[in-house]
Amino acid sequence: MQSIGLELHKLFNNQKRYSFPFSKYRKEIPSNGIYIIFEHGEKFRDFDRVVRIGTHTGHNQLYSRLKEHFINKNKNRSIFRKNIGRCILNREQNPYLRIWNLDTTTAEDKKANISWVDFEFEKQMEERISNYIQENLSFCVFNVDTKEERLFWESKIASTLAQENDIVPSREWLGNYSPKEKIRESGLWQVNGLEGEVISEKELLELKALLEENSYK
């Protein structure tokens, strides 16, 4: 059998793909599920390379989570957006990177960090991040109803792809500028859940059956 990482890329590349703007496909996107993101210019063998695996914890929040990444200009609600901003700032050797890493989500964090924030600059950065995401990223989705199952498959898929040494980013990949070593080494826009158990051959068959079931809905 070929590597499971390659099998996953075959499987996900064969799913219906969405890109921005995706609002007209709202009824096609399941209420609960997992999203698999691809990035322009990134390849693995003959396939578009997966660069992020994600889900949501709240019930019926998949579409809202996608909007937080692609549309809503708030990096404190999307670690994905925050990481892309980190790379842009690091690539440009911009000292604002230290401030960008601060959080102002909670009242406590806001009180501690708000005086450092350049709101106009961050507004410009959020616009740049949105442009990058909307112009370069696409995704497929599949339905997974329960939170436990979603977290299970998210971890399994991410760990499997992160731990396959022959899946590597291109030299031009923006993530190469990440201050986060795990992003640079894995080629994935995430740092959590990369060191768990990988997908077994039995689980791969289960995942294929799950996506086949989705295609008939």
Side-chain angles (χ1 to χ4, degrees), residues 149-185:
E149 287 179 298
R150 291 195 298 272
L151 295 177
F152 171 83
W153 285 117
E154 179 191 36
S155 176
K156 283 281 186 172
I157 297 167
S159 295
T160 301
L161 297 182
Q163 293 177 40
E164 288 220 6
N165 294 330
D166 57 340
I167 304 177
V168 295
S170 69
R171 292 182 179 180
E172 294 76 26
W173 186 50
L174 178 61
N176 291 326
Y177 291 94
S178 177
K180 302 290 185 179
E181 183 179 6
K182 286 186 177 181
I183 290 178
R184 299 194 308 270
E185 290 188 349

Coordinates of all heavy atoms in Angstrom, one line a residue, residues 149-185:
E149 N -16.0 13.1 17.4 CA -15.5 12.5 16.2 C -14.7 13.6 15.4 O -13.7 13.3 14.7 CB -16.7 12.1 15.3 CG -17.4 10.8 15.8 CD -18.6 10.4 15.0 OE1 -19.5 11.2 14.9 OE2 -18.5 9.4 14.4
R150 N -15.2 14.8 15.4 CA -14.5 15.9 14.7 C -13.0 16.0 15.2 O -12.1 16.1 14.4 CB -15.2 17.2 14.8 CG -16.5 17.2 14.0 CD -17.1 18.6 13.8 NE -17.4 19.3 15.1 CZ -18.5 19.3 15.7 NH1 -19.5 18.5 15.2 NH2 -18.7 20.0 16.8
L151 N -12.9 16.1 16.5 CA -11.6 16.3 17.1 C -10.7 15.0 16.8 O -9.5 15.2 16.7 CB -11.7 16.5 18.6 CG -12.4 17.8 19.0 CD1 -12.5 18.0 20.5 CD2 -11.6 19.0 18.4
F152 N -11.3 13.9 16.8 CA -10.6 12.6 16.5 C -10.0 12.7 15.1 O -8.8 12.5 15.0 CB -11.5 11.4 16.7 CG -10.9 10.1 16.2 CD1 -10.1 9.4 17.0 CD2 -11.2 9.7 14.9 CE1 -9.6 8.2 16.6 CE2 -10.6 8.5 14.4 CZ -9.8 7.7 15.3
W153 N -10.8 13.0 14.1 CA -10.3 13.0 12.8 C -9.4 14.1 12.5 O -8.4 14.0 11.7 CB -11.5 13.0 11.8 CG -12.2 11.7 11.7 CD1 -13.5 11.4 12.0 CD2 -11.6 10.4 11.2 NE1 -13.8 10.1 11.8 CE2 -12.6 9.5 11.3 CE3 -10.4 10.1 10.7 CZ2 -12.4 8.1 10.9 CZ3 -10.1 8.8 10.4 CH2 -11.2 7.8 10.5
E154 N -9.7 15.3 13.1 CA -8.7 16.4 12.9 C -7.4 16.1 13.4 O -6.4 16.3 12.7 CB -9.3 17.6 13.7 CG -8.3 18.9 13.6 CD -8.7 20.0 14.5 OE1 -9.2 19.6 15.7 OE2 -8.6 21.1 14.2
S155 N -7.2 15.5 14.6 CA -6.0 15.1 15.1 C -5.3 14.0 14.3 O -4.1 14.1 14.0 CB -6.1 14.6 16.6 OG -4.9 14.2 17.1
K156 N -6.0 13.0 13.9 CA -5.5 11.9 13.1 C -4.9 12.4 11.8 O -3.8 12.0 11.4 CB -6.5 10.8 12.9 CG -6.8 10.0 14.1 CD -5.8 8.9 14.3 CE -6.1 7.9 15.4 NZ -5.2 6.8 15.5
I157 N -5.7 13.2 11.1 CA -5.2 13.6 9.8 C -4.0 14.6 9.9 O -3.0 14.4 9.2 CB -6.4 14.4 9.0 CG1 -7.6 13.4 8.8 CG2 -5.9 14.9 7.7 CD1 -8.8 14.0 8.4
A158 N -4.1 15.5 10.8 CA -3.0 16.4 11.0 C -1.7 15.7 11.4 O -0.6 16.0 10.9 CB -3.3 17.5 12.0
S159 N -1.8 14.8 12.4 CA -0.6 14.0 12.8 C 0.0 13.2 11.7 O 1.2 13.1 11.5 CB -1.0 13.1 14.0 OG -1.4 13.9 15.1
T160 N -0.9 12.6 10.9 CA -0.4 11.8 9.8 C 0.4 12.6 8.8 O 1.5 12.2 8.4 CB -1.6 11.0 9.1 OG1 -2.3 10.2 10.1 CG2 -1.1 10.2 8.0
L161 N -0.2 13.7 8.4 CA 0.5 14.5 7.4 C 1.8 15.2 7.9 O 2.8 15.3 7.2 CB -0.5 15.6 6.9 CG -1.7 15.1 6.1 CD1 -2.6 16.3 5.6 CD2 -1.3 14.2 5.0
A162 N 1.7 15.6 9.2 CA 2.9 16.2 9.8 C 4.0 15.3 10.0 O 5.2 15.7 9.9 CB 2.5 16.8 11.2
Q163 N 3.7 14.0 10.1 CA 4.8 13.0 10.5 C 5.3 12.3 9.2 O 6.2 11.4 9.4 CB 4.3 12.1 11.5 CG 4.0 12.7 12.9 CD 3.5 11.8 13.9 OE1 3.8 10.6 14.0 NE2 2.5 12.2 14.7
E164 N 4.8 12.6 8.0 CA 5.3 12.0 6.8 C 6.4 12.9 6.3 O 6.2 14.1 5.8 CB 4.2 11.8 5.8 CG 3.3 10.7 6.2 CD 2.9 9.8 5.0 OE1 3.4 10.0 3.9 OE2 2.0 9.0 5.2
N165 N 7.7 12.4 6.3 CA 8.8 13.3 6.0 C 8.9 13.7 4.5 O 9.6 14.7 4.2 CB 10.1 12.5 6.3 CG 10.3 12.3 7.8 OD1 9.8 13.1 8.6 ND2 10.9 11.2 8.2
D166 N 8.2 13.0 3.6 CA 8.3 13.3 2.2 C 7.3 14.4 1.8 O 7.2 14.8 0.6 CB 8.2 12.1 1.3 CG 6.9 11.3 1.5 OD1 6.3 11.5 2.6 OD2 6.5 10.5 0.7
I167 N 6.4 14.8 2.7 CA 5.5 15.9 2.4 C 6.1 17.2 2.9 O 6.2 17.5 4.1 CB 4.1 15.7 3.1 CG1 3.5 14.3 2.7 CG2 3.2 16.8 2.7 CD1 2.2 14.0 3.4
V168 N 6.6 18.0 2.0 CA 7.3 19.2 2.3 C 6.8 20.4 1.6 O 6.3 20.3 0.5 CB 8.9 19.0 2.1 CG1 9.4 18.0 2.9 CG2 9.1 18.7 0.6
P169 N 6.9 21.6 2.2 CA 6.4 22.8 1.5 C 7.4 23.2 0.4 O 8.6 22.8 0.4 CB 6.4 23.8 2.6 CG 7.4 23.4 3.6 CD 7.4 21.9 3.6
S170 N 6.9 24.1 -0.5 CA 7.8 24.6 -1.5 C 8.7 25.7 -0.9 O 8.5 26.2 0.2 CB 7.0 25.3 -2.6 OG 6.3 26.4 -2.1
R171 N 9.8 26.1 -1.6 CA 10.7 27.1 -1.1 C 10.0 28.4 -1.0 O 10.4 29.3 -0.2 CB 11.9 27.2 -2.0 CG 12.8 26.0 -1.9 CD 14.0 26.2 -2.9 NE 14.9 25.1 -2.8 CZ 16.1 25.0 -3.5 NH1 16.4 26.1 -4.3 NH2 16.8 24.0 -3.4
E172 N 8.9 28.6 -1.8 CA 8.2 29.9 -1.8 C 7.1 30.0 -0.8 O 6.5 31.1 -0.6 CB 7.7 30.2 -3.2 CG 8.7 30.3 -4.3 CD 9.3 29.0 -4.7 OE1 8.7 28.0 -4.6 OE2 10.5 29.0 -5.2
W173 N 6.8 28.9 -0.1 CA 5.7 28.9 0.8 C 5.9 30.0 1.9 O 6.9 30.1 2.6 CB 5.6 27.6 1.5 CG 4.3 27.4 2.3 CD1 3.0 27.7 2.0 CD2 4.3 26.9 3.7 NE1 2.2 27.4 3.0 CE2 2.9 26.9 4.1 CE3 5.2 26.4 4.6 CZ2 2.5 26.5 5.3 CZ3 4.8 26.0 5.8 CH2 3.5 26.0 6.2
L174 N 4.8 30.8 2.1 CA 4.9 31.9 3.1 C 5.2 31.3 4.5 O 5.8 32.0 5.3 CB 3.5 32.6 3.1 CG 3.4 33.8 4.1 CD1 4.4 34.9 3.9 CD2 2.0 34.3 4.1
G175 N 4.7 30.1 4.8 CA 4.9 29.5 6.1 C 6.3 29.3 6.5 O 6.7 29.1 7.7
N176 N 7.2 29.3 5.5 CA 8.7 29.2 5.8 C 9.2 30.3 6.7 O 10.3 30.2 7.3 CB 9.5 29.1 4.5 CG 9.2 27.8 3.8 OD1 9.0 26.7 4.4 ND2 9.2 27.9 2.4
Y177 N 8.4 31.4 6.7 CA 8.8 32.6 7.5 C 8.2 32.6 8.9 O 8.4 33.6 9.6 CB 8.4 33.9 6.8 CG 9.2 34.2 5.5 CD1 8.7 33.7 4.3 CD2 10.5 34.8 5.6 CE1 9.5 34.0 3.1 CE2 11.2 35.0 4.4 CZ 10.7 34.6 3.2 OH 11.4 34.9 2.0
S178 N 7.6 31.5 9.2 CA 6.9 31.5 10.5 C 7.9 31.4 11.7 O 8.9 30.7 11.6 CB 6.0 30.2 10.6 OG 5.4 30.2 11.9
P179 N 7.7 32.2 12.7 CA 8.5 32.1 13.9 C 8.2 30.7 14.7 O 9.0 30.4 15.6 CB 8.0 33.3 14.8 CG 7.3 34.2 13.9 CD 6.7 33.3 12.8
K180 N 7.2 30.0 14.3 CA 6.8 28.8 14.9 C 7.5 27.6 14.2 O 7.2 27.3 13.0 CB 5.3 28.6 14.8 CG 4.5 29.6 15.5 CD 4.7 29.6 17.0 CE 3.8 30.6 17.7 NZ 3.9 30.5 19.2
E181 N 8.4 26.9 14.8 CA 9.2 25.9 14.2 C 8.3 24.7 13.7 O 8.5 24.2 12.6 CB 10.1 25.3 15.3 CG 11.0 24.2 14.7 CD 12.0 23.7 15.8 OE1 11.9 24.1 16.9 OE2 12.9 22.8 15.4
K182 N 7.2 24.4 14.4 CA 6.3 23.4 14.0 C 5.6 23.7 12.6 O 5.4 22.7 11.8 CB 5.2 23.1 15.1 CG 5.8 22.4 16.3 CD 4.7 22.0 17.2 CE 5.2 21.2 18.4 NZ 4.1 20.8 19.4
I183 N 5.3 24.9 12.4 CA 4.8 25.3 11.1 C 5.8 25.1 10.0 O 5.5 24.5 8.9 CB 4.2 26.7 11.1 CG1 3.0 26.8 12.0 CG2 3.9 27.2 9.7 CD1 2.4 28.2 12.2
R184 N 7.0 25.6 10.2 CA 8.0 25.4 9.2 C 8.4 24.0 8.9 O 8.5 23.6 7.8 CB 9.3 26.2 9.7 CG 9.2 27.6 9.9 CD 10.5 28.3 10.1 NE 11.4 27.7 11.0 CZ 11.5 28.0 12.3 NH1 10.7 28.9 12.8 NH2 12.3 27.4 13.1
E185 N 8.4 23.2 10.0 CA 8.8 21.8 9.8 C 7.7 20.9 9.2 O 8.0 20.0 8.4 CB 9.3 21.2 11.1 CG 10.6 21.8 11.6 CD 11.2 21.1 12.8 OE1 10.4 20.3 13.4 OE2 12.3 21.3 13.1

